Amino acid sequence: MVKKQFAVIGLGRFGVSVCRELYKLGHDVLAIDVVEDKVSEMVNYSTHSAVADGTDEKSLRSLGVGNFDHVIVAIGDNLQASILCTLLLKDMDIKQVWVKAQNYNHHKVLEKIGADKIIHPEHDMGNRIAQHLISDKVIDSIELSEEYAIVEIGVSNSIHNRSLIDLDIRAKYGVTVLAIRRGKDINISPLAHDKIYKDDILIVIGHKNDLKRFEAVT
Ligand code: ATP
């Protein structure tokens, strides 16, 4: 694994989750917040943690934030601070500035000032949960765009013991099986003659309409 450097500014629930997960995955994480208590809580879950105002260019520079390739702005309700911080980071030529947005107007402003990715955690999570609720086969899904997604689909009896070529999945449904999970094993480059068994989990990419059609036969 290539170790990467991340800075997370704003340590609310979202910022803390991102920080902890990146750190757990072995990356260098600099955790920043204006509130001292929030920063001290992160001592064991980040490589460095510092009390600083994300809207203060001098403080950010003195922490070396300008040298990071990837910064996550997770400042919550304070839209002005979130926008100013994003602007400063883009001015510092940081390649990837990902920002948590509070609402549509915030999103529009962030888009205009060059945020590289705008995240709506509650909305995205709500969508994923809804997908699971309406389908007993979809285990998880990642929305790639309005139209495309990657989904994990459970296999039932209907396609048990059939090979990918036999099912002719790509031609018939226009979707691609990226991987097959069987218990703890995962086959990440399934071949045409690989078979699918009941209780396998297929990781499939495609247009959402095609995925729905495919899901109906699995
Ligand atoms: P969630 O907890 O779900 O992430 P949220 O988006 O409302 O909710 P908050 O709980 O408001 O997030 O947390 C945002 C964090 O950002 C707080 O810890 C706050 O102290 C911090 N913060 C606010 N302004 C600044 C700033 N200018 N610089 C750095 N951190 C800031």
Side-chain angles (χ1 to χ4, degrees):
M1 182 199 70
V2 181
K3 197 170 183 165
K4 293 185 182 171
Q5 279 80 39
F6 297 91
V8 178
I9 304 176
L11 302 170
R13 280 171 305 173
F14 176 71
V16 165
S17 300
V18 173
C19 241
R20 290 175 73 134
E21 192 60 23
L22 290 170
Y23 185 63
K24 200 169 95 187
L25 291 168
H27 298 288
D28 279 335
V29 187
L30 167 62
I32 298 171
D33 201 288
V34 267
V35 178
E36 193 162 353
D37 286 355
K38 302 252 182 182
V39 174
S40 42
E41 277 170 26
M42 291 311 288
V43 169
N44 295 324
Y45 306 105
S46 60
T47 324
H48 305 284
S49 49
V51 179
D53 183 342
T55 63
D56 179 1
E57 185 172 358
K58 257 197 192 151
S59 304
L60 293 178
R61 285 202 187 274
S62 69
L63 287 169
V65 172
N67 302 323
F68 283 70
D69 280 339
H70 212 138
V71 181
I72 298 98
V73 180
I75 295 173
D77 294 338
N78 189 343
L79 301 198
Q80 199 178 327
S82 160
I83 291 163
L84 185 52
C85 177
T86 306
L87 203 56
L88 288 174
L89 296 169
K90 283 318 288 178
D91 268 359
M92 287 181 192
D93 280 337
I94 289 163
K95 285 199 196 100
Q96 288 293 322
V97 179
W98 292 24
V99 192
K100 178 187 168 181
Q102 290 296 101
N103 54 44
Y104 179 71
N105 289 337
H106 189 197
H107 183 116
K108 291 302 273 179
V109 177
L110 292 171
E111 211 168 45
K112 280 261 184 289
I113 62 174
D116 298 284
K117 189 165 173 74
I118 303 163
I119 309 152
H120 296 264
E122 296 87 354
H123 172 266
D124 296 348
M125 201 55 192
N127 275 355
R128 284 173 84 162
I129 301 274
Q131 287 295 329
H132 305 172
L133 287 170
I134 56 170
S135 164
D136 45 2
K137 286 183 190 158
V138 170
I139 295 156
D140 203 355
S141 63
I142 300 170
E143 194 174 54
L144 300 174
S145 70
E146 288 274 305
E147 295 176 341
Y148 293 91
I150 297 177
V151 294
E152 283 191 345
I153 301 175
V155 173
S156 65
N157 265 327
S158 53
I159 55 169
H160 171 72
N161 204 18
R162 309 268 306 267
S163 68
L164 295 175
I165 188 100
D166 171 28
L167 290 164
D168 208 8
I169 294 171
R170 202 175 300 173
K172 273 196 191 151
Y173 304 98
V175 300
T176 302
V177 176
L178 298 174
I180 303 171
R181 188 135 56 87
R182 186 165 302 142
K184 282 187 178 160
D185 296 328
I186 182 152
N187 173 358
I188 54 154
S189 49
L191 303 172
H193 292 285
D194 285 345
K195 283 197 171 179
I196 294 170
Y197 299 103
K198 183 176 177 290
D199 297 334
D200 280 355
I201 290 164
L202 306 180
I203 294 130
V204 191
I205 186 168
H207 192 285
K208 289 178 185 172
N209 294 341
D210 296 331
L211 287 167
K212 275 207 189 84
R213 282 196 304 126
F214 178 57
E215 191 196 314
V217 299
T218 58

